[in-house]
Amino acid sequence: MDNVDMMAEQITDLLRQATAEEASSTDRLQLLAQAVGLAVDPLHQLELAMLVADTAGRAAHDAAGRALRGEGRPEGKAATWTDIGGAASLSKDTAFRQFHGGDALSWSPAARGVRQAVRRPAAEEAR
């Protein structure tokens, strides 16, 4: 068995662990991040990175819920939306809307560096 086969087997095992019912959202995130590091094919890396991004948003949502309940917080004090927004680099209103409106928290496309792209035809297409 060569290294590529061994890494593929490790990736498969990590994915199996990440999708197990008993895996917490932060465990899933860590397992998927390890899988990205092992992938050789850029398209496989892309697929895994997108899973990491989705899982990270869901893990952030879970963490916000625990913070609101005061779990793991000093003296069990529940976090405020201002606290959560500050930790997530979101406004408190955005954190509130995302928490109650979906399963994940995320930054806006602009905050992630996504800009509106305009496709320009190649020189040979323009003629």
Side-chain angles (χ1 to χ4, degrees):
M1 183 180 283
D2 63 0
N3 284 342
V4 174
D5 290 336
M6 286 186 353
M7 285 192 296
E9 192 174 296
Q10 285 179 306
I11 290 170
T12 301
D13 186 52
L14 289 167
L15 290 174
R16 183 187 52 72
Q17 291 175 53
T19 56
E21 287 286 325
E22 62 273 1
S24 71
S25 57
T26 51
D27 289 341
R28 281 188 188 102
L29 184 58
Q30 184 177 16
L31 292 163
L32 290 170
Q34 287 177 317
V36 172
L38 293 173
V40 176
D41 180 350
L43 292 178
H44 198 199
Q45 290 172 339
L46 174 61
E47 176 187 6
L48 293 169
M50 295 303 289
L51 286 172
V52 168
D54 178 64
T55 303
R58 292 172 189 277
H61 186 277
D62 291 349
R66 288 192 315 275
L68 286 169
R69 293 185 298 273
E71 295 175 16
R73 301 256 309 139
E75 301 175 17
K77 183 179 175 192
T80 65
W81 287 110
T82 301
D83 298 332
I84 292 168
S89 297
L90 298 169
S91 73
K92 66 180 180 180
D93 295 332
T94 299
F96 177 87
R97 282 193 312 273
Q98 287 186 6
F99 183 81
H100 289 290
D103 293 330
L105 299 183
S106 64
W107 291 328
S108 70
R112 292 188 316 249
V114 176
R115 302 289 179 253
Q116 191 71 10
V118 177
R119 185 179 182 276
R120 300 186 199 304
E124 55 274 355
E125 288 180 5
R127 293 182 186 149

